[in-house]
């Protein structure tokens, strides 16, 4: 059986943009390597998974599906993935949430959801980890920039069926956490979390670091906005489900966390940071090297999505070109098609609308004996591909079939 490399370029697909001659950033980009792979392989369109209640696909849910795990059964909640990605250890029954350090006024109205994008939160976190709440242990860990993750652990049963504290707007009051159902567990979890957040506010308000920030006319990080509660439960690992030894190469916390939650080994690459200046060469070279040890490599590239969300379609196009140039470090010396390479996305992100959209994503699979007439990798040309249009939940079974029957 062939080994499999799955490259996910986050938010790769896009809409036509008049400034790009009515082309999408992927169409407008010069991508000789992608086009070669498309020509030598098979293409199609993949429909990203979203829950019925979601307007657009989100990265976390979409990834769980394309990695072969039905989100209806196996989605654990954003907080769990963020916590795993930040290196927090979790055990079954733990609740995890995403945290923003934020600034509120004395009436708890939000002034800034990111506390002036504060970075230096280590001292604050140290103080917060001393807070005691009856009935549960709270542990907070620093994540990227102004972000952190919060773990709740208790001898009593907890539930992640609770509301967010983050109203996602400034100028309004922070939200109290409420249970979303009538269970004892949800009520208890909301109660202790509210207690913790109140104490955290007191600790932060009087913390010397915040006093110093105020003197320097910087926004104090005096409130924790929490969201995305998830709870860890036992699910099969990638190895158990598909029989493949898998690893994950990613810079973004969420994607490392998804890999970890599925039991993949996380491979560190120097300079892989989830940004446009990420170490693409390092990531692709590493992917090639670790193929000796693993049957399945999940490689994630983030910046395409962020650039589109900022409306930077030219930068997105240029970044796609950079990925194309660097993929040579993965494909060189694979002329005998030693592995199966898939390039696709978790969802499309519109640079015009600056958010995710529900359109299907282009996909190419190279390294099997199959071919079709597509000779360019783009949203439009992939329509004519042999893979046609299929749901992302089918991706893994397709790859396994091709890997076994090459
Ligand atoms: Zn995404």
């Amino acid at each position: 059986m062939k080994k499999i490399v799955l490259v996910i370029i986050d938010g790769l697909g896009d809409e036509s943009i008049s400034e790009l001659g009515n082309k999408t950033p992927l169409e407008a980009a010069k991508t000789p390597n992608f086009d070669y792979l498309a020509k030598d392989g098979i293409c199609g369109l993949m429909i990203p998974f979203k829950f019925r209640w979601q307007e657009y696909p989100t990265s976390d849910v979409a990834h769980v599906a394309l990695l072969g795990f039905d989100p209806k059964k196996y989605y654990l909640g954003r907080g769990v993935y963020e916590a795993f990605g930040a290196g927090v250890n979790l055990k079954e029954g733990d609740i995890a949430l995403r945290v923003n350090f934020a600034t509120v006024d004395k009436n708890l109205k939000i002034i800034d959801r990111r506390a002036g994008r504060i970075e230096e939160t280590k001292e604050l976190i140290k103080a917060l980890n001393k807070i005691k709440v009856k009935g549960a242990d709270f542990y907070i860990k620093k994540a990227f920039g102004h972000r952190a993750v919060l773990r709740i652990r208790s001898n009593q049963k907890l539930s992640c069926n609770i509301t967010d504290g983050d109203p996602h707007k400034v100028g309004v009051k922070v939200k109290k956490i409420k249970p979303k159902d009538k269970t004892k567990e949800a009520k208890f979890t909301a109660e202790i979390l509210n207690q913790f957040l109140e104490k955290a506010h007191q600790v932060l308000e009087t913390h010397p670091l915040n006093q110093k920030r105020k003197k320097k006319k910087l926004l104090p990080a005096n409130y924790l906005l929490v969201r995305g509660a998830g709870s860890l439960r036992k699910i099969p690992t990638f190895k158990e489900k598909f029989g493949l030894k898998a690893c994950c190469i990613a810079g973004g916390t969420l994607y490392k966390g998804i890999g970890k939650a599925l039991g993949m080994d996380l491979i560190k690459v120097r300079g892989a940071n989830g940004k446009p200046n990420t170490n693409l060469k390092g990531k692709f070279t590493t992917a090639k090297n670790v193929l000796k040890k693993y049957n399945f490599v999940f490689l994630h590239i983030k910046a395409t999505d962020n650039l589109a969300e900022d409306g930077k379609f030219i930068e997105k196009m240029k970044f796609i070109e950079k990925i194309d140039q660097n993929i040579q470090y993965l494909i060189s010396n694979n002329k005998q098609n030693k592995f199966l390479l898939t390039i696709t996305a978790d969802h499309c992100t519109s640079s015009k609308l600056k958010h995710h959209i529900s359109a299907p994503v282009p996909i190419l699979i190279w390294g099997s004996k199959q071919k079709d007439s597509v000779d360019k990798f783009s949203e439009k040309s992939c329509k004519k591909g042999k893979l046609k249009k299929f749901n992302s939940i089918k991706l893994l079974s397709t790859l396994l079939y091709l890997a076994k029957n090459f």
Side-chain angles (χ1 to χ4, degrees):
M1 188 180 152
K2 277 196 183 186
K3 300 199 171 193
I4 300 170
V5 180
L6 173 61
V7 177
I8 300 296
I9 305 176
D10 208 295
L12 173 67
D14 207 314
E15 295 181 300
S16 308
I17 292 161
S18 53
E19 288 92 331
L20 296 177
N22 286 323
K23 287 179 176 171
T24 67
L26 175 61
E27 275 181 297
K30 281 187 200 74
T31 55
N33 287 319
F34 289 165
D35 297 343
Y36 159 72
L37 296 170
K39 196 172 176 185
D40 202 41
I42 46 175
C43 294
L45 291 175
M46 188 167 82
I47 305 161
F49 179 92
K50 61 176 182 184
F51 284 120
R52 251 204 226 142
W53 43 268
Q54 290 182 311
E55 197 174 349
Y56 307 111
T58 51
S59 293
D60 53 351
V61 177
H63 269 85
V64 171
L66 67 83
L67 287 166
F69 289 74
D70 186 347
K72 284 185 227 115
K73 240 167 119 183
Y74 299 118
Y75 178 66
L76 297 173
R78 178 81 178 232
V80 168
Y81 303 122
E82 295 283 349
F84 269 135
V88 173
N89 104 48
L90 293 177
K91 48 182 203 186
E92 263 176 74
D94 285 350
I95 301 291
L97 297 110
R98 307 173 75 186
V99 178
N100 263 19
F101 277 91
T103 309
V104 296
D105 69 10
K106 56 183 186 309
N107 302 313
L108 298 184
K109 260 195 199 161
I110 299 172
I111 297 168
D112 187 340
R113 285 183 59 249
R114 300 176 184 94
R117 290 199 180 266
I118 184 170
E119 299 256 350
E120 19 137 53
T121 55
K122 275 206 180 113
E123 288 302 309
L124 302 176
I125 284 173
K126 221 175 176 183
L128 290 168
N129 275 326
K130 289 183 185 144
I131 294 174
K132 297 265 177 279
V133 173
K134 211 178 151 214
D137 271 334
F138 284 80
Y139 171 70
I140 179 164
K141 184 164 184 193
K142 182 173 168 54
F144 192 70
H146 59 279
R147 299 196 187 102
V149 283
L150 179 65
R151 180 189 72 197
I152 318 174
R153 185 172 276 178
S154 173
N155 292 328
Q156 297 182 54
K157 266 201 165 172
L158 301 172
S159 164
C160 61
N161 213 7
I162 53 171
T163 59
D164 289 350
D166 184 355
H168 292 274
K169 269 188 267 182
V170 292
V172 296
K173 238 181 123 172
V174 301
K175 285 184 171 171
K176 275 247 175 282
I177 312 298
K178 286 180 189 147
K180 282 198 210 161
D181 61 37
K182 294 208 167 100
T183 61
K184 228 172 49 195
E185 294 86 26
K187 200 172 155 233
F188 173 66
T189 311
E191 246 170 51
I192 53 170
L193 181 52
N194 280 322
Q195 283 174 34
F196 174 80
L197 293 175
E198 222 177 284
K199 288 186 180 179
H201 178 49
Q202 288 161 16
V203 166
L204 293 170
E205 190 65 54
T206 52
H207 195 281
L209 189 131
N210 274 330
Q211 304 298 340
K212 256 190 246 162
R213 281 179 71 86
K214 279 189 209 166
K215 265 187 208 149
K216 283 196 230 162
K217 300 259 183 265
L218 293 170
L219 290 169
N222 61 3
Y223 201 85
L224 300 178
L225 288 175
V226 295
R227 62 196 155 114
S231 107
L232 184 64
R233 57 175 199 277
K234 193 155 174 44
I235 58 164
T237 62
F238 194 86
K239 175 107 199 278
E240 284 162 353
K241 204 157 189 296
F242 300 108
L244 301 176
K245 196 175 176 215
C247 70
C248 163
I249 300 173
T253 314
L254 172 63
Y255 310 94
K256 288 189 229 171
I258 291 170
K260 177 95 187 161
L262 299 179
M264 296 181 183
D265 288 346
L266 301 186
I267 309 289
K268 267 196 192 155
V269 175
R270 233 212 195 143
N273 57 10
K275 296 185 195 168
N277 66 355
T278 189
N279 180 7
L280 289 169
K281 181 181 173 184
K283 286 172 94 164
F284 285 123
T285 309
T286 304
K288 192 173 170 180
N289 291 337
V290 297
L291 270 173
K292 288 179 206 105
K293 264 180 77 185
Y294 294 92
N295 311 100
F296 186 92
V297 180
F298 159 46
L299 190 157
H300 182 267
I301 298 168
K302 180 66 190 168
T304 23
D305 177 53
N306 296 128
L307 291 168
E309 283 189 333
D310 290 341
K312 295 178 173 165
F313 49 85
I314 293 182
E315 284 87 340
K316 183 176 178 181
M317 177 190 80
K318 286 188 178 154
F319 185 63
I320 292 169
E321 292 180 343
K322 219 163 117 185
I323 302 170
D324 181 81
Q325 283 155 21
N326 281 281
I327 206 157
Q328 59 168 304
Y329 297 108
L330 172 64
I331 59 178
S332 58
N333 299 328
N334 188 37
K335 294 288 180 229
Q336 297 88 33
N337 293 346
K338 279 189 205 136
F339 60 87
L340 206 62
L341 169 62
T342 302
I343 303 173
T344 187
D346 51 346
H347 53 74
C348 294
T349 306
S350 165
S351 300
K352 262 195 303 205
L353 303 169
K354 300 185 183 178
H355 62 65
H356 297 181
I357 50 173
S358 298
V361 297
I363 175 166
L364 76 79
I365 302 176
W366 177 69
S368 76
K369 277 195 183 131
Q370 304 203 29
K371 280 187 191 200
D372 60 20
S373 62
V374 179
D375 56 5
K376 183 170 168 50
F377 186 50
S378 79
E379 296 87 340
K380 270 177 220 139
S381 54
C382 282
K383 250 185 228 167
K384 295 169 280 179
K386 200 173 193 171
L387 290 164
K388 299 208 173 92
K389 205 194 251 188
F390 65 99
N391 285 316
S392 66
I393 197 84
K394 296 262 168 69
L395 175 63
L396 248 286
S397 53
T398 306
L399 291 178
L400 286 175
Y401 174 81
L402 291 170
K404 281 177 191 155
N405 302 284
F406 54 89

